[in-house]
Amino acid sequence: MKRTIILLFSICNILTVAAQEEIIIGKDTLINQSLVTQKGSVYKQLLVPTVLVGYGVVGLANHGIKDFNTTVRSRVSKGQGDGTTIDDYTRYAPLVSIYALNIAGIKGKHNYKDLTIIVATSHLIMAGSVMGLKSLCKEQRPDGSTDNSFPSGHTATAFAGAEIMWQEYKDVSPWYGVAGYAVASGTGVLRMYNDRHWFTDVATGAGIGILSTKLAYWLHPFIQKQLFGNKEENKMSILGLPFYNGEQAGLSVVIKF
């Protein structure tokens, strides 16, 4: 079982690192310039997360993929033993680390205000997508407890944070992003170990998390303009910070005059 967990963990990291290599090749022009300058760059950035989501969606009806889910479960799941609650915390670790790094003086691309706007946008898109699919698909969890298995909200949250860490700190050191993705991948593996999700749930959650963050960065210039305009003398600002605990979601709003 340990070998299988290590293998799955490695596969997740290979996929996500591959995705980042594509982003580097494309120079991530959408984030740096706030404009779509090369269609090829966009396609490269979206390739891996789109494949992950597509794999999970196809797996809902594909018998071969379902059989693979069962095989993975038999090798990875804890079975009848006690599970762990570490994944309830590791899903937030990449995002918390970003703010911790800023507090420690290791600055990323954006200041606190812009970073929080990006985080809020990413998590709103992610939470809406996850809850919508859970309600629509009604996939039973491996342990039979509920019918909201697809996709994995814990994994989506972790990968959304990991992608933000990558975008903010890849020019400082790529190892920050690698660490974020390692934690996110571990969260996905733990969700399967705890018998709470199938492999397709985790794959789709990872894809949704990455895509949500990419959309947040692309939308940021527009949202920044709509909320704060271009004048420094604007006296009112509004920030929204969503939360998602795997079952429920909400939004905290802060208005500053």
Side-chain angles (χ1 to χ4, degrees):
M1 183 183 73
K2 290 183 179 179
R3 290 183 178 179
T4 304
I5 292 176
I6 293 173
L7 177 61
L8 289 172
F9 186 82
S10 300
I11 291 173
C12 290
N13 275 291
I14 289 171
L15 286 173
T16 50
V17 169
Q20 301 314 325
E21 288 297 326
E22 296 290 350
I23 293 172
I24 293 173
I25 292 172
K27 296 183 180 179
D28 214 356
T29 54
L30 288 177
I31 293 173
N32 293 333
Q33 302 177 15
S34 301
L35 294 171
V36 180
T37 57
Q38 295 180 1
K39 290 184 177 180
S41 174
V42 179
Y43 297 149
K44 288 176 182 178
Q45 294 177 58
L46 297 180
L47 178 60
V48 170
T50 300
V51 169
L52 289 172
V53 174
Y55 173 79
V57 171
V58 171
L60 291 172
N62 184 281
H63 294 294
I65 295 178
K66 285 186 174 183
D67 289 341
F68 180 71
N69 275 343
T70 302
T71 300
V72 171
R73 181 197 179 196
S74 66
R75 294 178 178 273
V76 176
S77 173
K78 63 179 175 57
Q80 300 299 320
D82 294 331
T84 176
T85 59
I86 296 176
D87 48 322
D88 289 334
Y89 304 98
T90 57
R91 57 175 164 167
Y92 299 121
L95 185 59
V96 171
S97 298
I98 297 170
Y99 283 97
L101 286 169
N102 273 274
I103 294 173
I106 305 175
K107 303 298 182 181
K109 283 186 176 181
H110 295 89
N111 57 35
Y112 284 109
K113 182 188 74 175
D114 291 336
L115 175 61
T116 302
I117 293 173
I118 292 169
V119 168
T121 304
S122 170
H123 282 67
L124 282 173
I125 296 172
M126 180 272 297
S129 301
V130 168
M131 290 190 296
L133 286 172
K134 283 181 179 292
S135 299
L136 179 65
C137 299
K138 296 187 181 301
E139 183 77 0
Q140 189 176 57
R141 291 183 184 272
D143 61 5
S145 59
T146 60
D147 63 352
N148 61 349
S149 183
F150 181 87
S152 170
H154 281 63
T155 307
T157 300
F159 273 86
E163 177 65 13
I164 294 173
M165 177 173 278
W166 171 262
Q167 297 296 347
E168 290 296 310
Y169 288 100
K170 63 182 178 181
D171 294 332
V172 178
S173 171
W175 289 107
Y176 288 114
V178 171
Y181 268 103
V183 173
S185 300
T187 300
V189 172
L190 286 173
R191 294 306 286 165
M192 292 184 288
Y193 172 76
N194 286 330
D195 209 23
R196 296 292 288 166
H197 284 290
W198 304 101
F199 180 73
T200 44
D201 302 338
V202 170
T204 302
I208 289 175
I210 297 171
L211 285 173
S212 297
T213 292
K214 290 187 181 297
L215 286 173
Y217 274 92
W218 298 341
L219 290 171
H220 177 250
F222 172 77
I223 295 175
Q224 166 74 12
K225 182 177 180 181
Q226 294 301 312
L227 288 180
F228 304 101
N230 296 319
K231 298 180 180 180
E232 295 182 357
E233 63 268 24
N234 286 344
K235 295 183 179 180
M236 186 181 78
S237 60
I238 304 174
L239 295 177
L241 185 62
F243 64 86
Y244 179 68
N245 61 13
E247 302 291 341
Q248 299 174 325
L251 176 67
S252 300
V253 177
V254 177
I255 302 176
K256 180 180 179 181
F257 295 92

